[in-house]
Amino acid sequence: MSRRPLMAGNWKMHKTIEEAVQLANALKEALAKLNDRDALVCPPFTSLSSVSEILKGSSVFLGAQNMNDNVQGAFTGEVSPVMLKDAGCSFVILGHSERRQYYSETSALVNQKCRLALAQGLTPIVCVGEKLDERESGKTFDVIKTQTKESLNNLSSEQLKSTVIAYEPVWAIGTGKTATPAQAQEVHSFVRQLINETYGESVAASVRILYGGSVKPDNIDSLMAQPDIDGGLVGGASLKAGDFVRLVNFQVPCNC
Ligand code: PGA
């Protein structure tokens, strides 16, 4: 089964509304027609509705970087999935390592958010990834297994098919140290095998697994050439139109 590649830009805490609008305009123009791949941008909350207006009718999707695990209520400073839909989002990033590390998000909370996002019609991008000391002490697969199982706990097959997973080794995020294509592939294939064990082959074959961590124009093609890498979750290189367009337009060398 072929999975449609997805290139997702995580703008993190960058860009004023004016800057976001400028970047969105440039992307809309350069990525006018995407036939065999998806592109997604995830600006900060403050720019979502302005960027949504620009992207209307384009092939670039809009997503948020986080959401609350409630629909509404007295949760000062939080943003609900209903508000994200209202602002034009169809995706939401959940459990990014920066949320886990700086805001103490646990996989149990990520799971709650994930189920609520799905119930509200948003596509969750659930992030998992090991830290440097975990990799160096040989715990990568244990960490990935626990995070994946707990974050995706109790999803139905249909729900899992509508979920995107992002493998982002924490040591590779924003550091310029990308995992080698082989290192990334090894973990992607492990995650797909985990899904296979619980949900069977057809679900496992249909779930998109993105790689994140210093994805750049000069490494995207070799990452995308790996059989279990279905796209990228990109921070730094998504902030410049030219770089992000190049990532979306990745080319896998043909082995024909
Ligand atoms: P980076 O960030 O591309 O700047 O390493 C990736 C991410 O955090 O999603």
Side-chain angles (χ1 to χ4, degrees):
M1 183 185 297
S2 73
R3 296 174 292 272
R4 194 173 160 95
L6 169 64
M7 207 55 65
N10 172 9
W11 294 3
K12 305 195 180 180
M13 200 168 73
H14 294 288
K15 307 228 177 260
T16 60
I17 296 175
E18 195 184 331
E19 291 163 346
V21 161
Q22 222 175 6
L23 178 53
N25 270 317
L27 296 177
K28 179 183 182 170
E29 200 179 304
L31 301 172
K33 223 165 162 241
L34 296 172
N35 295 323
D36 61 350
R37 58 197 67 198
D38 291 333
L40 161 71
V41 293
C42 303
F45 293 132
T46 46
S47 306
L48 286 175
S49 55
S50 313
V51 170
S52 166
E53 283 305 314
I54 292 163
L55 297 181
K56 257 185 203 147
S58 87
S59 11
V60 182
F61 290 102
L62 182 69
Q65 300 171 20
N66 182 32
M67 60 172 239
N68 188 260
D69 57 324
N70 292 277
V71 166
Q72 62 171 24
F75 301 100
T76 301
E78 292 292 302
V79 174
S80 95
V82 175
M83 296 167 184
L84 297 183
K85 288 274 290 186
D86 188 42
C89 292
S90 44
F91 286 78
V92 59
I93 300 171
L94 298 177
H96 187 281
S97 68
E98 286 150 16
R99 304 277 337 154
R100 292 177 186 263
Q101 195 175 341
Y102 306 138
Y103 304 98
S104 309
E105 289 201 8
T106 60
S107 292
L109 177 63
V110 174
N111 181 241
Q112 252 173 296
K113 292 184 179 191
C114 181
R115 283 191 275 153
L116 183 60
L118 287 160
Q120 295 295 326
L122 288 163
T123 300
I125 300 179
V126 175
C127 305
V128 297
E130 82 286 3
K131 299 194 188 104
L132 184 59
D133 60 314
E134 293 166 336
R135 174 159 282 264
E136 285 176 343
S137 57
K139 295 197 193 112
T140 298
F141 294 104
D142 287 344
V143 170
I144 297 300
K145 182 173 182 177
T146 307
Q147 283 183 3
T148 306
K149 292 221 160 199
E150 290 179 3
S151 304
L152 303 176
N153 188 30
N154 264 331
L155 298 192
S156 68
S157 296
E158 283 314 306
Q159 285 177 317
L160 196 65
K161 279 191 199 165
S162 309
T163 300
V164 176
I165 299 171
Y167 167 57
E168 298 203 301
V170 179
W171 48 271
I173 295 179
T175 58
K177 278 193 230 161
T178 327
T180 63
Q183 279 174 324
Q185 166 58 26
E186 193 182 26
V187 178
H188 281 232
S189 138
F190 175 75
V191 171
R192 204 174 300 287
Q193 188 50 38
L194 284 177
I195 298 170
N196 189 356
E197 281 163 19
T198 315
Y199 293 92
E201 223 167 283
S202 89
V203 177
S206 71
V207 173
R208 292 189 285 189
I209 308 177
L210 313 182
Y211 168 78
S214 299
V215 171
K216 300 274 182 302
D218 65 4
N219 57 32
I220 188 66
D221 295 342
S222 52
L223 286 163
M224 291 305 295
Q226 301 301 312
D228 289 297
I229 299 184
D230 307 313
L233 180 53
V234 187
S238 72
L239 297 173
K240 284 195 199 138
D243 283 355
F244 190 63
V245 168
R246 168 66 183 87
L247 297 179
V248 174
N249 290 328
F250 71 87
Q251 296 289 341
V252 173
C254 147
N255 45 13
C256 39

